[in-house]
Amino acid sequence: MLSELPGPTLSADETAHSARVAAHIRADIAAAGGWIPFSRFMQLALYAPGLGYYSAGTRKFGADGDFVTAPEITPLFARCLAGQVAEILGQSGGGDVVEVGAGSGALAAELLATLAARDALPEQYRILEVSAELRERQRAALIERDPAIAKRVTWLDAPPDEPWRGALLANEVADALPVEPFRLAASGVEVVGVVADDGGLAFETRPAGDELAAQVRRRLADLPEALPQGYESEASLLLRPWVAALAEQMQQGAMLFVDYGLARTHYYHPARAGGSLCGFIRHRRVDDVLANPGLQDITAWVDFTELAEAGLEAGLAVGGFSTQAHFLLAAGLDRELEAAGKGLDAVGQARLSQAASMLVLPGEMGERFKVLALTRGIDEPLSGFAFRDLAATL
């Protein structure tokens, strides 16, 4: 988990902020008796009020941030997604759109503009966002795009607590849920936690508790290949309660999860013996996830089988599972690309094509990112999975 590359050059303000976050984490470790599970560290590093990566004021998304999501690359992503959302709203008899973790607000702004142009606006557009700082950035992006449409948007602190219908969107959200790194040892399952030492923060491995050990054994029980001793990966114990909370009040509609990840048989595979946990800062992958707490994103790939099982457990059905490339092509990417290219000069055409390629090429986002639909009360197939539905692989 340690990076051999030199770390980023930090400003004095960044160094001071990270020191405050580290001190907060060290105090939590001391209060817990000297050791905390990694999931607790990840929760604090990302979400501690006023300190965590997603709670503080640093720029995270886009070229000037630490990573770029599909809506920031090109509006084509949102325009394709809008067609699927309009279809879901139609099959639900109208309703709302709920976006979980709206990031910079780019997806909401473009999606609403596209739905407005198609006369398919939802009754409400609600954003579930825990970061006050990101809420303000989202609000500003929406007002800049269209003040009238922005008036339709409200923000939530928690999943809707009253019955609703429509579409729920979660683009690159599940990967930021805290995870538990584990190791398969001769004595059984071991869990990786965090301790404080003289130099800062360090990993310490302990025997896993009964709950985590059972969760790991459940995930690994039906794999086609046995995993070797020393195998390391991670498990998210929060996916199931998270999906259950999102689904609790949805009476009819579909949830669309877009993220990098794999079906379980590929996720827990001997060739992936080091897991997927890493950090991102200034568009560079960082293997030392304990470094610079509060300044880098921490993420792990999504076990889409676990996500699908969470939906089934919550009374939902799997409405489709596909690569992002196949989903966007089925959702009309070629049509949207042609429409967006009209009137552009050669340079503009090239930039547009390059952005579209990033969404669908296997070496970019096309294969690494997947789209999973979980539905309730939707009888017709969703068109975004018409080209290739990989649900049987889950």
Side-chain angles (χ1 to χ4, degrees):
M1 293 185 181
L2 297 178
S3 174
E4 298 179 358
L5 297 174
T9 301
L10 304 177
S11 69
D13 287 345
E14 288 174 323
T15 300
H17 176 76
S18 187
R20 289 191 292 271
V21 178
H24 181 70
I25 293 171
R26 290 169 70 93
D28 194 82
I29 292 171
W35 184 94
I36 58 174
F38 180 82
S39 59
R40 175 62 178 169
F41 164 83
M42 188 170 172
Q43 177 71 32
L44 294 172
L46 294 183
Y47 303 109
L51 292 172
Y53 178 79
Y54 285 105
S55 303
T58 57
R59 188 171 181 86
K60 303 158 187 70
F61 307 93
D64 297 328
D66 297 315
F67 54 88
V68 178
T69 62
E72 278 98 33
I73 292 173
T74 171
L76 293 172
F77 178 82
R79 292 172 189 172
C80 291
L81 199 58
Q84 183 64 90
V85 168
E87 182 180 270
I88 293 169
L89 292 175
Q91 294 191 34
S92 304
D96 303 338
V97 174
V98 176
E99 184 180 357
V100 184
S104 67
L107 176 58
E110 188 64 37
L111 189 75
L112 281 167
T114 304
L115 291 173
R118 299 178 182 182
D119 195 25
L121 280 169
E123 295 171 17
Q124 297 183 83
Y125 195 103
R126 296 189 279 180
I127 296 176
L128 174 54
E129 180 58 72
V130 298
S131 168
E133 180 264 332
L134 285 177
R135 286 188 183 197
E136 291 309 308
R137 294 194 182 193
Q138 293 156 11
R139 195 187 316 274
L142 286 159
I143 292 173
E144 180 181 2
R145 179 59 184 268
D146 189 327
I149 290 179
K151 292 179 180 179
R152 286 181 174 265
V153 182
T154 58
W155 278 262
L156 302 173
D157 296 313
D161 59 2
E162 76 288 340
W164 69 282
R165 57 197 166 90
L168 181 142
L169 310 175
N171 180 54
E172 291 198 51
V173 180
D175 65 88
L177 293 177
V179 297
E180 298 291 4
F182 66 85
R183 182 176 184 273
L184 301 183
S187 57
V189 180
E190 296 179 340
V191 61
V192 179
V194 180
V195 298
D197 62 15
D198 293 338
L201 301 170
F203 291 111
E204 182 176 288
T205 301
R206 295 185 174 185
D210 292 343
E211 180 184 3
L212 178 60
Q215 289 276 4
V216 171
R217 286 194 293 268
R218 176 179 64 79
R219 286 165 169 79
L220 307 186
D222 298 322
L223 298 180
E225 296 184 64
L227 298 175
Q229 183 176 320
Y231 181 90
E232 296 180 355
S233 190
E234 56 280 322
S236 174
L237 275 58
L238 297 180
L239 271 179
R240 293 195 179 219
W242 180 62
V243 171
L246 295 177
E248 183 175 4
Q249 293 293 341
M250 190 182 81
Q251 304 301 296
Q252 184 179 19
M255 302 180 176
L256 297 177
F257 299 89
V258 186
D259 230 311
Y260 38 88
L262 296 162
R264 181 172 294 155
T265 55
H266 293 103
Y267 192 104
Y268 297 115
H269 190 277
R272 297 176 56 81
S276 63
L277 188 65
C278 70
F280 282 95
I281 185 168
R282 295 172 191 168
H283 302 278
R284 183 171 71 83
R285 175 189 168 109
V286 179
D287 290 332
D288 186 356
V289 292
L290 300 184
N292 305 316
L295 299 182
Q296 68 176 5
D297 188 22
I298 304 173
T299 179
W301 280 41
V302 176
D303 172 2
F304 272 97
T305 301
E306 183 71 10
L307 194 55
E309 290 175 350
L312 296 175
E313 191 174 84
L316 305 175
V318 175
F321 178 55
S322 185
T323 66
Q324 178 172 291
H326 284 107
F327 177 86
L328 292 177
L329 290 169
L333 179 61
D334 290 342
R335 180 182 64 250
E336 296 296 339
L337 181 60
E338 181 180 1
K342 291 180 179 178
L344 295 180
D345 59 17
V347 174
Q349 291 272 4
R351 289 175 177 169
L352 184 65
S353 295
Q354 182 181 29
S357 295
M358 290 184 67
L359 297 180
V360 298
L361 286 179
E364 298 287 348
M365 303 177 74
E367 295 291 335
R368 292 185 295 114
F369 279 70
K370 310 295 191 302
V371 184
L372 173 69
L374 298 175
T375 66
R376 176 175 284 149
I378 298 291
D379 298 325
E380 297 296 320
L382 297 179
S383 59
F385 304 94
F387 277 3
R388 191 180 185 195
D389 191 343
L390 302 173
T393 68
L394 293 169

